[in-house]
Amino acid sequence: MKAEKTKLTEGAVVVTPASTGANKTGSWRTYKPCLDQKKCIRCGICWNFCPDNCFMLKKETENKKYKHRFEINYDYCKGCGICAKECPVKAIMMQREEK
Amino acid sequence: MKRIAEASAVMAEAVKLCEPQVIPLYPITPQTHIMEELANHVNNGELKAKIIRTESEHSMMSTLIGSLLAGSRSFTATSSQGLALAHEVLPIISGLRLPAVIGVAARALAAPLNIWGDHSDVMDARDTGWIQLHCRNTQAVFDTTIQAFAIAEKARLPVMVIMDGYTLSHMFEPADILSKTEVSGYLPKFKIRYQLDTNKPMTFGPVGFTDTYMEFKHQLKDAHEEAAKIISEENKRYGKMFRREYGDGMVEIFNPSAKQVIICQGTTAETAKLTGACVIHVRCFRPFPFSQIEKACRGKDVVVVDRAYSYGAGAPLHMEVKAVVPQARSAVMGLGGRDIRLEDLQMILKSKEKELWVDNYGK
Amino acid sequence: MASKSDDWKPGNIRGLPLEEFFHSGHGACAGCGPAITMRMITKAAGKDSIIVNATGCMEVVSTKYPTTSWGLPWVHGAFENAAPIASGIHAALAAQGTRAKHNIVVIAGDGATYDIGFGAISAAFERGDKFTYICYNNEAYANTGSQQSGATPKHAWTTTTPIGKIIHGKEVEKKPLTEIIAAHKIPYIATASTAYPLDLFNKIKKSFTFDGPSFINVLTPCVLTWKYDSSLSVELARLAVDTGMWLVYEIENGKFTLNIQPKGLPVKNYLAKQGRFKHLTDADIAEIQMHLDKQNKELVAERECVNKAEEKI
């Protein structure tokens, strides 16, 4: 996509913060982390160590023991496997990406 | 108020009147007097600015990126090896469209080491996207420095205010110094288009891929075309207020009816006036005043005096002039502080040589 | 590290806030240690911060015009000048009387910090300009494809210290940069590791409380340079600390504290997991272990000696 000169900001200033969302890095993935909500203890270590901020905090509706749950944002997950490696209860498994 | 002062001190006085908030500094001959004067102004409480004493010209130039983006008018000065060391930062400042103003006491580049005046350093920086304004006397140093802030902030481009090392930087001449009220009546309050702001976070200095880089460089080209108009406007506005104008702001033409023309920059212009020839002082080297020069040189015998050389090609001012004045001859003079005397200029007017390196030492 | 808490609350997870300032969609490699560190740094820095980023991986992967991963005001100038740019911001805000409202944080790699920007950093620290300089240290010029820097450990493979027939890896020890910075006697100097986010978080927060410069050197693994499986970034950052390859300490107004006691694991555990050390012989590893033990002992002893001298005064 070629940029139009007139639409470029002066001095290449990026005026829209937090705007790399269009770059869906999930397409890089060859292994996919799968989170077992039953095993998950909601410690947040995966959220903490994800280089791509792929652990989304959601309201828990099924498990009465917890108020929140994590869901993985596959749009950006590059499949590095840090979450699975660091999970203290082995609730995350890496599976071969099928598609 | 008229005062007899060294041009370096006069530049510092002009800067003081423009009230920059940040002044990074690093010494180098022959610029150092500007810095020393500014340090005196700050330490005596005459100028409320933060001085940053850096460890190199590279860092000195880099602090300008921070201070300008944080919203403060800023100034520094350098020479020769200092400008060369800071070279990397120059296109970054113009690429970010920051209104930096720096003084340059123009000096030769090593090797061999030479501390005296010529234009090697500023010619080395000609393609960095900065506006380059040359001064031919002390009064011009004062007026151009003040105009430079107005031009930089309006054009959103950085400006070098250039004076010949020693022959101007260390020259004592009378100059009319404006009052604080007069200067603040001329110079608008500092503002930049985009600023580091925690309430409106923006990213400065990103990566321009192959899809945008060329467009940004075209922006810079357009900005220089616009700057030529701004330089002329500011020269006129300043002239109206303080009764001093520098030609049309881009070029100054003296004795226009004479048949022979000397084109030069800086103090050489003052000597050249004494020859009786027409003298075109190229006040602004970037952007370059092609049309004015072409018009003033039609059908005339023209010789261009350069105090720098582009090795393997020719003399830089002459190369620009030749693009619109094919008959223009070249005289390379005054490298490394070699004198440029009246008789030397008379000699080059008589000469028919296409390119002449004037060897006048001890003659 | 498992939390005993039966619920997850914002602000409770190892103390890190939920708000993100380094966003998804950046182009860092899968498992990038520095990218994890960027999230931690910006969370600690918070919304009142201005970031100055030296040229390097984190700058390049996050700011393809017209997009940016950053949610904070951010500026990049060149490779070697992040510290003087921060000085310029500091001076301008001080002149405008708004310095107290902002944190200024420099983020730079080890190439920018140990090597090309070193003189400029030293001068900024001499001046006492108030900003927090954070070196994300992956022990090489990773952005240009893994060349050796002043932070590369002895013996390590890089593309400019290849494993040849005669010479194997880097021939000299790394520059003791944290100690060199400590010699500037700035108010706050610390080391940290990506594997210990709360420690890093607290150190960054603490750095803002000093009226002068702070320096934090964070060890953070690089998948491509260190040559390991992308899942091991945090594991290696932890092993570096547990084996004593990276001491986590702070020097606060001259007072030294070893924040994390190394577990005394053999250094082989750390080295064997990385391709950049795979050429090492048992003799090499024994030499590294011996040197490490001596060096760590000396550093702690010297610093504790200074602590005692300070107490006496």
Side-chain angles (χ1 to χ4, degrees), chain B residues 202-280:
Chain B
M202 289 182 275
T203 286
F204 297 89
V207 185
F209 277 56
T210 46
D211 60 341
T212 56
Y213 181 86
M214 200 155 166
E215 280 69 22
F216 284 119
K217 294 297 122 177
H218 203 284
Q219 263 188 5
L220 199 54
K221 170 186 143 68
D222 293 343
H224 266 262
E225 276 164 29
E226 190 59 29
K229 288 178 216 155
I230 292 169
I231 292 162
S232 288
E233 281 162 21
E234 286 305 318
N235 176 60
K236 199 176 267 177
R237 192 167 70 85
Y238 190 92
K240 261 195 190 145
M241 288 180 76
F242 309 120
R243 294 168 309 280
R244 272 194 302 277
E245 276 185 37
Y246 294 85
D248 71 346
M250 301 293 289
V251 288
E252 297 171 84
I253 303 174
F254 305 97
N255 195 16
S257 57
K259 281 184 183 138
Q260 279 194 304
V261 182
I262 295 177
I263 300 181
C264 59
Q265 295 184 290
T267 50
T268 310
E270 298 292 342
T271 317
K273 279 191 220 169
L274 305 174
T275 61
C278 166
V279 176
I280 300 179

Side-chain angles (χ1 to χ4, degrees), chain B residues 36-316:
Chain B
E36 289 171 342
E37 275 302 302
L38 284 167
N40 281 333
H41 291 323
V42 171
N43 282 11
N44 290 329
E46 295 160 32
L47 171 62
K48 279 199 182 73
K50 299 279 175 194
I51 284 187
I52 305 174
R53 292 167 187 85
T54 61
E55 87 298 342
S56 74
E57 288 90 352
H58 192 285
S59 288
M60 179 184 84
M61 210 62 82
S62 298
T63 59
L64 294 181
I65 297 174
S67 60
L68 290 163
L69 276 179
S72 285
R73 181 174 288 153
S74 310
F75 175 86
T76 192
T78 191
S79 286
S80 182
Q81 311 297 125
L83 189 62
L85 182 61
H87 190 106
E88 188 204 13
V89 190
L90 301 178
I92 298 174
I93 290 177
S94 63
L96 289 165
R97 302 293 303 274
L98 297 178
V101 174
I102 71 167
V104 180
R107 170 189 142 182
L109 289 170
L113 182 79
N114 179 294
I115 59 165
W116 293 277
D118 73 22
H119 295 158
S120 303
D121 52 2
V122 289
M123 285 302 174
D124 186 52
R126 71 190 161 166
D127 298 334
T128 55
W130 285 56
I131 292 170
Q132 294 189 322
L133 297 173
H134 284 257
C135 306
R136 60 182 159 79
N137 61 30
T138 306
Q139 186 65 59
V141 167
F142 181 81
D143 297 331
T144 308
T145 302
I146 292 167
Q147 285 179 27
F149 285 102
I151 293 164
E153 290 160 24
K154 207 165 167 186
R156 298 183 300 282
L157 283 174
V159 181
M160 286 178 200
V161 181
I162 301 158
M163 55 172 133
D164 294 348
Y166 287 109
T167 46
L168 188 49
S169 68
H170 287 54
M171 169 70 76
F172 281 73
E173 278 183 308
D176 178 30
I177 307 295
L178 300 176
S179 72
K180 208 167 189 165
T181 338
E182 285 173 308
V183 173
S184 48
Y186 166 76
L187 185 64
K189 271 206 166 1
F190 181 82
K191 66 168 197 291
I192 55 170
R193 185 164 280 187
Y194 301 111
Q195 190 173 329
L196 287 167
D197 180 355
T198 48
N199 294 317
K200 198 178 180 323
M202 289 182 275
T203 286
F204 297 89
V207 185
F209 277 56
T210 46
D211 60 341
T212 56
Y213 181 86
M214 200 155 166
E215 280 69 22
F216 284 119
K217 294 297 122 177
H218 203 284
Q219 263 188 5
L220 199 54
K221 170 186 143 68
D222 293 343
H224 266 262
E225 276 164 29
E226 190 59 29
K229 288 178 216 155
I230 292 169
I231 292 162
S232 288
E233 281 162 21
E234 286 305 318
N235 176 60
K236 199 176 267 177
R237 192 167 70 85
Y238 190 92
K240 261 195 190 145
M241 288 180 76
F242 309 120
R243 294 168 309 280
R244 272 194 302 277
E245 276 185 37
Y246 294 85
D248 71 346
M250 301 293 289
V251 288
E252 297 171 84
I253 303 174
F254 305 97
N255 195 16
S257 57
K259 281 184 183 138
Q260 279 194 304
V261 182
I262 295 177
I263 300 181
C264 59
Q265 295 184 290
T267 50
T268 310
E270 298 292 342
T271 317
K273 279 191 220 169
L274 305 174
T275 61
C278 166
V279 176
I280 300 179
H281 177 242
V282 183
R283 186 191 189 220
C284 187
F285 190 72
R286 286 291 181 269
F288 194 80
F290 287 106
S291 63
Q292 293 95 318
I293 290 173
E294 188 274 326
K295 210 172 138 201
C297 293
R298 272 179 212 163
K300 291 192 177 178
D301 179 35
V302 178
V303 58
V304 182
V305 177
D306 266 279
R307 299 193 67 184
Y309 204 73
S310 179
Y311 301 95

Side-chain angles (χ1 to χ4, degrees), chain C residues 190-194 196 199-200 203 217 219 237 240-242 244-250 256-262:
Chain C
T191 58
S193 154
T194 301
Y196 294 89
D199 174 74
L200 173 61
K203 282 172 174 169
N217 197 348
L219 185 78
V241 177
D242 291 347
M245 270 300 266
W246 187 253
L247 284 186
V248 175
Y249 61 93
E250 66 186 342
F256 170 84
T257 310
L258 186 64
N259 303 110
I260 302 173
Q261 188 66 44

